[in-house]
Amino acid sequence: MLVFTIGTVVVAGLQRHIDPFQGTQRLVELDLGEAFASAAILSLLFAEPRAPSGLSRLDLGVLVLCSLCWTLPESHAVYLGMTLVGLWLLAGRSRSAMLADIAHIWLALSLCQLWGKLVFKMFYLVIAPYEVSVMAQVGRWIFPGLQSTGSELSTQADWSVIMLEGCSAFHNLSLAALLWLCVLKMSADRADRGAFIALSISAVLVVAINIARVLAMVPSRDAYLYWHDGTGSIIVALTSAAASIIPIVIRIERSA
């Protein structure tokens, strides 16, 4: 289980960092998601090291077969194998609660790295005009002359920011859900009403942070470079991660 997890993460990471078009913010966000998922799985595997895993020979065969996805020349496609193994383990949930917990983490990681991106890319053209309109209304509190046209935001005639799916305020909500789930699994807590309230707070904070980032890029090219590719993008990634983690940690500490 540990070898399959680490192997998938390492292969995806190597392929991702080779890609020269991968933005700094996305690299930080994806690496954080994989780090938390790996830590959560480690905590599950070593919480009771002598407990039987419940893995059968057939399960091991499925793990080996799905690890062939590592050979695909695409950093997102390796999570296809992780999805298949996660679904396979959930089908035999009665054998081991630990396997079910690991399957939940694998599926959440696959949703964050692969399936969520595909679905979002398919529907973003429908969402984009409404999102840009909302951002423009919020942004006019700061920039009274802010204009929106289709997927563009601008404050001056010679400069505008075009909204793509990677810049959407909703693009890393799946990462927030992944971090939330990992913290729950590491604390051996359950997803009750309080936990879901914490997730809702994190989602609102993450969307607000992303809207602020986009609006910060609107005034000039220098602002765009700072918040899109420079130090500002790393600050946003780390702040979004903190916003995803802190509410659920506070809820767990209060209920302990």
Side-chain angles (χ1 to χ4, degrees):
M1 301 291 288
L2 184 59
V3 169
F4 183 80
T5 299
I6 300 301
T8 301
V9 168
V10 168
V11 171
L14 288 174
Q15 293 181 353
R16 183 187 309 133
H17 283 271
I18 290 173
D19 184 359
F21 300 104
Q22 193 70 254
T24 304
Q25 181 187 5
R26 295 299 294 152
L27 287 175
V28 173
E29 290 170 350
L30 296 175
D31 290 346
L32 278 174
E34 290 168 343
F36 268 81
S38 300
I41 290 173
L42 276 169
S43 71
L44 291 170
L45 290 174
F46 293 107
E48 298 181 36
R50 296 185 179 181
S53 67
L55 282 174
S56 66
R57 290 184 178 180
L58 182 57
D59 295 331
L60 292 173
V62 172
L63 279 169
V64 172
L65 183 63
C66 289
S67 67
L68 295 177
C69 290
W70 299 351
T71 62
L72 298 175
E74 166 57 48
S75 60
H76 300 114
V78 297
Y79 291 99
L80 172 62
M82 184 168 274
T83 302
L84 295 175
V85 176
L87 293 174
W88 172 267
L89 292 179
L90 284 182
R93 180 171 183 171
S94 60
R95 291 172 297 156
S96 170
M98 181 189 68
L99 292 182
D101 286 339
I102 292 177
H104 291 151
I105 296 172
W106 279 352
L107 291 175
L109 182 57
S110 301
L111 177 67
C112 175
Q113 310 289 46
L114 175 60
W115 304 112
K117 293 179 182 179
L118 290 177
V119 172
F120 196 70
K121 187 179 288 289
M122 289 171 58
F123 292 100
Y124 186 68
L125 290 178
V126 178
I127 300 172
Y130 301 99
E131 182 180 19
V132 172
S133 176
V134 170
M135 283 189 176
Q137 292 178 19
V138 174
R140 289 189 185 107
W141 288 83
I142 306 170
F143 308 113
L146 182 64
Q147 300 294 324
S148 64
T149 305
S151 60
E152 294 186 15
L153 290 168
S154 63
T155 56
Q156 48 188 317
D158 60 345
W159 174 255
S160 64
V161 172
I162 300 175
M163 289 289 297
L164 301 176
E165 68 269 8
C167 298
S168 171
F170 306 101
H171 86 277
N172 56 356
L173 286 180
S174 58
L175 175 62
L178 170 64
L179 298 181
W180 170 84
L181 178 65
C182 290
V183 173
L184 274 181
K185 298 296 184 183
M186 285 189 281
S187 65
D189 212 332
R190 56 193 179 89
D192 58 9
R193 181 174 178 271
F196 281 107
I197 291 175
L199 177 60
S200 300
I201 294 172
S202 293
V204 171
L205 291 175
V206 167
V207 170
I209 290 168
N210 285 332
I211 290 176
R213 172 186 177 242
V214 172
L215 294 177
M217 293 189 290
V218 171
S220 66
R221 184 176 183 275
D222 290 338
Y224 171 84
L225 292 175
Y226 180 82
W227 291 105
H228 191 272
D229 300 313
T231 306
S233 66
I234 300 175
I235 294 173
V236 169
L238 296 178
T239 305
S240 295
S244 303
I245 297 166
I246 291 175
I248 185 61
V249 170
I250 292 175
R251 183 265 164 198
I252 290 171
E253 289 297 325
R254 285 182 173 177
S255 64

